[in-house]
Amino acid sequence: MCGRYALGIRATFIRHQLQQHDMPVDEAPEDDDFRQSFNFAPGYHGLVYRADVPDHGANSDDHVDAESDVDAPAADKVGEQPDTPDDRGTRNGLHNDVVHKPSEKSHDVRYKLQSMKWGLVPFWTKRNPDYGSMLKTINARDDSLMENRGMWNTMKQKKRCIVVAQGFYEWLKKPGGREKVPHYVKRSDEQLMCFAGLWDCVKFEGSEEKLYTYTIITTDSNTQLKFLHDRMPVILENGSDEIRTWLDPARSSWSKELQSLLKPFPGQLECYPVSKDVGKVGNNSPSFIIPVASSENKNNIANFFSNSTGMSKPDQDKSSMTFIKTEPQGRHGIKDVQLDEGDPRPTVDEPRSEDNAPVPVESKYPPTKRKLSQTDDPSKAQPSPKATKVEPQSSDVPTEVISRKTRSATFNGSAAKGSPAKASGGSQRITNFFNK
């Protein structure tokens, strides 16, 4: 399955990348119209690449809309689809093999990037489903599309799309324990991933607002990802004929050719463990797509100690070092340093200074020697008024000497006011004991 992927880039960059692979984009949303996240979860609004067709799909003459066709049975929950003409024909043993005519003006087809919500809500749904119901439609199995029946029947014929991503996450279950290790999967060539998907448009009862949603089609894992999970998203090659066939609006009926496109990715993928913080929905960081053991991952504590060791013993390549010839000049052995080109700062090399800390150039004007004045002679210096000790005169001594009470180390005088407690018979003060 595919329950989390990464899309932390702007819509303008995605549009440019698609156009570089001969995938025209005639319309695209603004960068703020969809959610950019390195931890893209169900319910977020992602970018979908599709043919610019009406909301009810391409060439859908027999489309059953719950709003317009009163004879069609309605459904309240996601996954309960009313019978469409295609379904009734298949169930009655009638094969509706429609031979589509290729578009005479295929170059007139417009393609666009559109912001949609992840978790498909079928067009016949009357009320907004809860989060648990939406999680059931974030993926569509490829084997569930073989028959012309089920909830995906209308979408697979007329509403096919490409879901754009940088890569996706999958959790590896360790044997004999409950621990799951998140892994990130991306293309080895660093190109965008184009997932095969389906989309739909719905309007709930009592609302005129349209809600566009999508799902990602999954298939069996290729040999590279068998150790990780038995399912993976269907990845189509960027700018390939497979994508043009998958998005062709003239193909309005399901065929073996379309079914054959849903297969494991034959290209090279890169898979590695990443931070466990990606497991919590709401966390978002560019470090989520960086390997845990990578030196670029600043959150790895092992890199912290390795960097500190490297800083204490830096490797210096003598062949790349520039030696500067200096000549002694001036007093104290100060030398002039030849600066690199483009550096106009006048500095001198001072042996007592710290590394890479240039000392300002000595002033051009020689210091003038100031004559010692009489006041500068310590022997003739007058005492400061603050330092003068004034001896009190006999007349200044007060006639009454203020007596100060001695403070006791055991009694602070905080006893409650009132008459002292009378000593009981036989009791004496403890001081009387020492007076004996």
Side-chain angles (χ1 to χ4, degrees):
M1 63 176 297
C2 178
R4 207 78 61 83
Y5 64 88
L7 188 63
I9 50 182
R10 298 176 300 169
T12 52
F13 178 80
I14 296 175
R15 180 176 187 174
H16 175 75
Q17 290 295 310
L18 295 179
Q19 291 175 340
Q20 291 295 319
H21 290 87
D22 296 329
M23 300 172 65
V25 181
D26 300 298
E27 181 182 345
E30 298 294 334
D31 293 339
D32 298 334
D33 291 345
F34 81 102
R35 188 160 187 169
Q36 304 175 32
S37 176
F38 293 95
N39 190 12
F40 207 90
Y44 290 3
H45 283 73
L47 280 184
V48 170
Y49 180 72
R50 69 179 181 94
D52 191 3
V53 296
D55 294 338
H56 52 266
N59 299 333
S60 54
D61 298 334
D62 56 353
H63 178 73
V64 179
D65 195 330
E67 298 178 356
S68 59
D69 192 344
V70 296
D71 295 334
D76 294 339
K77 298 181 180 180
V78 175
E80 297 181 4
Q81 180 187 14
D83 290 345
T84 62
D86 292 337
D87 295 338
R88 290 189 289 268
T90 303
R91 295 175 184 178
N92 295 333
L94 301 177
H95 300 281
N96 298 328
D97 295 334
V98 180
V99 179
H100 69 274
K101 296 180 180 180
S103 177
E104 297 178 357
K105 297 181 180 180
S106 58
H107 61 276
D108 292 339
V109 178
R110 292 172 52 88
Y111 295 90
K112 66 179 182 179
L113 278 170
Q114 185 175 359
S115 175
M116 295 188 184
K117 186 177 180 180
W118 187 15
L120 192 140
V121 180
F123 66 88
W124 62 81
T125 307
K126 291 184 177 182
R127 293 183 293 271
N128 190 6
D130 56 17
Y131 190 77
S133 300
M134 183 196 64
L135 289 177
K136 299 178 181 179
T137 57
I138 61 174
N139 296 144
R141 293 177 61 95
D142 59 338
D143 50 9
S144 66
L145 306 179
M146 293 182 178
E147 298 182 0
N148 288 332
R149 57 185 300 174
M151 68 170 296
W152 310 116
N153 189 44
T154 302
M155 282 74 79
K156 73 179 182 181
Q157 298 184 61
K158 308 173 179 66
K159 302 177 182 180
R160 299 180 297 272
C161 66
I162 294 295
V163 181
V164 182
Q166 292 177 264
F168 66 93
Y169 299 97
E170 194 57 72
W171 277 256
L172 175 64
K173 296 181 180 179
K174 287 190 173 182
R178 299 181 178 180
E179 184 181 3
K180 297 180 180 180
V181 181
H183 284 64
Y184 181 67
V185 183
K186 66 176 183 179
R187 292 178 58 122
S188 299
D189 56 4
E190 303 289 343
Q191 296 296 328
L192 294 175
M193 278 190 172
C194 293
F195 301 150
L198 305 173
W199 66 275
D200 207 346
C201 179
V202 63
K203 285 197 303 184
F204 301 121
E205 285 186 344
S207 176
E208 295 297 327
E209 184 179 359
K210 295 181 179 180
L211 176 64
Y212 293 88
T213 58
Y214 67 92
T215 186
I216 298 175
I217 302 176
T218 61
T219 185
D220 296 332
S221 294
N222 59 10
T223 55
Q224 293 180 266
L225 302 181
K226 283 291 185 182
F227 80 99
L228 187 61
H229 202 276
D230 58 348
R231 306 288 298 178
M232 68 175 295
V234 175
I235 305 174
L236 302 179
E237 188 62 43
N238 300 355
S240 63
D241 293 334
E242 296 177 345
I243 287 186
R244 283 185 280 271
T245 301
W246 179 254
L247 298 179
D248 187 4
R251 302 175 186 271
S252 58
S253 61
W254 194 248
S255 62
K256 293 182 179 180
E257 183 181 10
L258 293 174
Q259 184 71 41
S260 64
L261 300 178
L262 309 179
K263 58 185 179 181
F265 183 63
Q268 292 294 322
L269 298 175
E270 189 175 348
C271 177
Y272 47 81
V274 293
S275 172
K276 293 184 179 180
D277 294 337
V278 73
K280 184 178 180 181
V281 176
N283 289 346
N284 183 27
S285 173
S287 63
F288 289 171
I289 62 176
I290 300 177
V292 173
S294 173
S295 59
E296 300 177 3
N297 195 337
K298 298 181 180 179
N299 295 332
N300 188 2
I301 192 171
N303 293 334
F304 172 79
F305 291 105
S306 62
N307 291 338
S308 61
T309 305
M311 291 176 62
S312 61
K313 297 181 180 179
D315 296 333
Q316 296 183 355
D317 185 5
K318 294 185 178 180
S319 61
S320 60
M321 296 177 62
T322 303
F323 296 93
I324 303 175
K325 183 179 180 181
T326 60
E327 296 293 340
Q329 178 182 356
R331 57 193 180 94
H332 304 301
I334 297 178
K335 304 175 182 179
D336 294 335
V337 179
Q338 297 179 1
L339 304 177
D340 295 336
E341 296 182 1
D343 190 352
R345 296 177 302 168
T347 57
V348 292
D349 186 13
E350 172 58 56
R352 294 170 294 178
S353 64
E354 298 179 0
D355 294 340
N356 300 325
V359 178
V361 176
E362 190 175 0
S363 176
K364 298 180 181 179
Y365 303 97
T368 57
K369 188 174 182 180
R370 186 169 58 91
K371 295 182 179 180
L372 183 64
S373 61
Q374 183 178 1
T375 57
D376 294 337
D377 189 357
S379 59
K380 299 180 181 181
Q382 298 294 332
S384 175
K386 294 183 180 180
T388 303
K389 184 177 180 180
V390 180
E391 297 293 340
Q393 302 295 330
S394 59
S395 59
D396 296 336
V397 179
T399 57
E400 296 182 1
V401 179
I402 301 175
S403 61
R404 298 180 61 184
K405 296 181 179 180
T406 59
R407 301 179 64 180
S408 173
T410 59
F411 178 71
N412 58 4
S414 60
K417 297 181 179 180
S419 59
K422 295 181 179 180
S424 59
S427 62
Q428 297 181 5
R429 292 181 178 274
I430 191 171
T431 55
N432 296 337
F433 173 79
F434 296 100
N435 294 332
K436 291 181 180 181

